Amino acid sequence: MTSADKAPVRVGLFGLLGSGNLGNDGSLEAVLGYLRAEHPDAAVDALCGGPEVVAARYRIPATRLHWYRGEYRTASRAGAIAGKGLGKLVDAFRTAAWVRRHDVVIVPGMGVLEATLPLRPWGFPYALFLLCASGRLFGTKVALVGVGAAPIGDRATRALVRRSARLATYRSYRDAQSRDALRDMGVDTARDEVYPDLAFALPAPRADVPEAGVPEAGVPTGPPRPVCVGVMDFHGGNDDRARAEEIHRRYLDGTTRFVRALAEDGRTVRLLTGDDCDAPVAAAILDAVDSPLVTAAGAASLADLMKETAAADAVVATRYHNLVCALKAGTPTLALSYAAKSDALMARMGLDAYCHPAREVDADRLLEQFRSLEKKSAQLRRTLAERNADVTRQLEDQFTALTAALFPTTDRTRAHTPTRTRADAVRKAP
């Protein structure tokens, strides 16, 4: 049988994709770009949270992750509780049947091995365990690619995450803290590598800025451009449930005061979100500040977010992938950090001095940090240009390693496809 006669490699993509989280979908888009550039003959489909969105936007077949459609709604009535319980049993068979049809399943990025936001063990951790156990049972390679991990306090969640990681064929992480967290849980990470977040593989934005405003050095001049403020429906982490509302109120109050101060200084502010659940937070800030200088951006993808951040003088953001977008765009950025992953990201990009705790937003201190950020704008833009070049090279290594681990019998010359080709593949994706 010639290579042309061989059946295409069957690749599945798994996760909470198409569910309204722009970071998750950006990671999916980056992996699709890699597959289309280096393994164009692969037959690709997804088992995901929002199959209608994934199928329409990325033109791949998609199946719903959970049989019970109310999986992520709180169940209080007997019927809902019974539905969820039955769904767990049905999903075990559905997941196994789906995995069995594939040669490879990729979990593209995302914080699938952490509980830095509220999470129940019988939700996504259980789904991930079903995936990895099915892969081991049927000989399907399961790859956790560029994922995030963190220490987990809840015993059941930690046990599912640890077992899932052990069952996976391939693991790589988006920061060293993630690898350390898995090692501390008892997972052998000796062969696991750390690479930048997958979203850095997306095409660099082209800011729609007047030519006179950006000289050759790449430092904006002339009238101030907008300040982007990325907001989040933040209530703390999995261990903060008892004080979730207090944390949220403090975060919202501090962020609102900061935005109001910018508007009073005559600055134009663009509010950014990263998930559908963030929209009420942006609306609350708009109502509280009540200024024509403050507007909300209607970003529908990481590409949209990158364009917004590229057109800004500076960015202050909470969500991890809001930060990734701003840093990828080369815009000076201040992180409202809610987890170690944000601190690690800022350190990787040389901006570790510009972090502020999301749990304790102090508007006055935040303004001081922001002004310091703007004073060093030229220097920080140069730093980001250098770090982005390093990140690009490191992601080349990630994709080369992924090909070696998952597609060892394919044409190995594709493992050295230039980054431009991968970027073009992402741009051409619908």
Side-chain angles (χ1 to χ4, degrees):
M1 180 182 291
T2 66
S3 59
D5 296 326
K6 291 181 180 178
V9 177
R10 299 163 297 177
V11 180
L13 301 171
F14 180 94
L16 294 177
L17 311 166
S19 301
N21 185 287
L22 301 187
N24 292 358
D25 290 354
S27 299
L28 165 64
E29 193 172 340
V31 169
L32 278 175
Y34 153 72
L35 291 172
R36 287 167 174 165
E38 298 191 6
H39 307 284
D41 297 329
V44 181
D45 72 320
L47 185 63
C48 58
E52 298 86 1
V53 172
V54 169
R57 182 175 296 168
Y58 303 108
R59 297 184 185 175
I60 60 174
T63 304
R64 186 171 297 281
L65 178 59
H66 300 290
W67 173 79
Y68 181 63
R69 289 176 177 264
E71 174 62 35
Y72 292 104
R73 294 195 295 268
T74 301
S76 55
R77 296 183 178 180
I81 294 172
K84 278 198 173 186
L86 178 59
K88 300 306 172 189
L89 178 62
V90 174
D91 284 345
F93 291 96
R94 291 176 70 251
T95 302
W98 182 80
V99 170
R100 190 175 187 178
R101 297 195 299 267
H102 295 81
D103 302 300
V104 171
V105 174
I106 297 174
V107 180
M110 305 177 286
V112 297
L113 303 177
E114 64 182 52
T116 51
L117 297 177
L119 183 71
R120 298 295 190 188
W122 54 82
F124 189 78
Y126 173 73
L128 184 66
F129 170 73
L130 291 179
L131 169 74
C132 296
S134 297
R136 181 63 63 91
L137 178 64
F138 297 117
T140 299
K141 296 178 181 178
V142 175
L144 310 180
V145 183
V147 298
I152 298 173
D154 181 78
R155 182 177 299 178
T157 302
R158 185 172 64 249
L160 286 169
V161 164
R162 178 174 60 243
R163 190 61 179 160
S164 297
R166 285 175 173 171
L167 290 169
T169 307
Y170 174 89
R171 295 181 300 267
S172 66
Y173 311 95
R174 62 189 179 191
D175 52 50
Q177 288 91 329
S178 294
R179 182 172 60 185
D180 293 345
L182 260 291
R183 184 194 60 217
D184 292 344
M185 289 185 209
V187 178
D188 181 2
T189 62
R191 297 184 180 181
D192 299 352
E193 296 293 340
V194 173
Y195 301 100
D197 188 85
L198 289 171
F200 279 105
L202 296 173
R206 296 186 176 94
D208 187 16
V209 181
E211 193 170 316
V214 183
E216 289 184 8
V219 181
T221 60
R225 294 192 285 161
V227 176
C228 286
V229 178
V231 300
M232 179 178 177
D233 184 28
F234 179 60
H235 292 77
N238 213 41
D239 298 329
D240 298 317
R241 291 179 182 273
R243 49 193 292 263
E245 288 308 313
E246 174 194 345
I247 290 172
H248 179 68
R249 183 173 60 254
R250 184 174 297 172
Y251 168 79
L252 181 58
D253 289 349
T255 306
T256 300
R257 284 185 58 204
F258 173 70
V259 171
R260 182 182 290 115
L262 291 177
E264 289 173 351
D265 282 346
R267 301 298 297 270
T268 300
V269 179
R270 292 282 282 170
L271 299 181
L272 308 180
T273 59
D275 193 294
D276 290 346
C277 67
D278 300 334
V281 178
I285 294 174
L286 287 172
D287 289 343
V289 176
D290 191 23
S291 168
L293 293 175
V294 183
T295 57
S301 66
L302 287 195
D304 291 343
L305 284 177
M306 284 189 196
K307 289 177 183 176
E308 291 281 350
T309 59
D313 268 347
V315 175
V316 178
T318 312
R319 278 203 180 271
Y320 181 84
H321 280 98
N322 277 192
L323 296 173
V324 169
C325 288
L327 297 168
K328 170 78 175 180
T331 303
T333 301
L334 199 163
L336 287 175
S337 175
Y338 66 88
K341 62 184 179 183
S342 300
D343 298 335
L345 173 65
M346 296 294 283
R348 178 192 287 273
M349 301 304 288
L351 275 72
D352 44 313
Y354 298 99
C355 293
H356 189 97
R359 283 176 175 78
E360 303 284 345
V361 177
D362 180 332
D364 295 332
R365 173 61 182 149
L366 187 57
L367 276 168
E368 290 179 10
Q369 289 180 285
F370 176 76
R371 288 167 182 148
S372 172
L373 180 84
E374 289 211 305
K375 286 179 181 177
K376 296 182 179 179
S377 177
Q379 174 187 336
L380 296 176
R381 286 177 181 272
R382 289 191 292 270
T383 297
L384 287 173
E386 294 169 0
R387 298 299 175 96
N388 273 308
D390 292 340
V391 162
T392 297
R393 288 190 290 270
Q394 291 163 18
L395 281 172
E396 282 293 303
D397 294 339
Q398 164 69 100
F399 291 128
T400 298
L402 197 58
T403 291
L406 303 183
F407 308 96
T409 60
T410 60
D411 182 0
R412 294 301 300 278
T413 60
R414 287 179 181 149
H416 303 284
T417 304
T419 302
R420 177 180 54 79
T421 303
R422 290 198 191 102
D424 288 345
V426 175
R427 285 194 184 97
K428 291 176 182 177

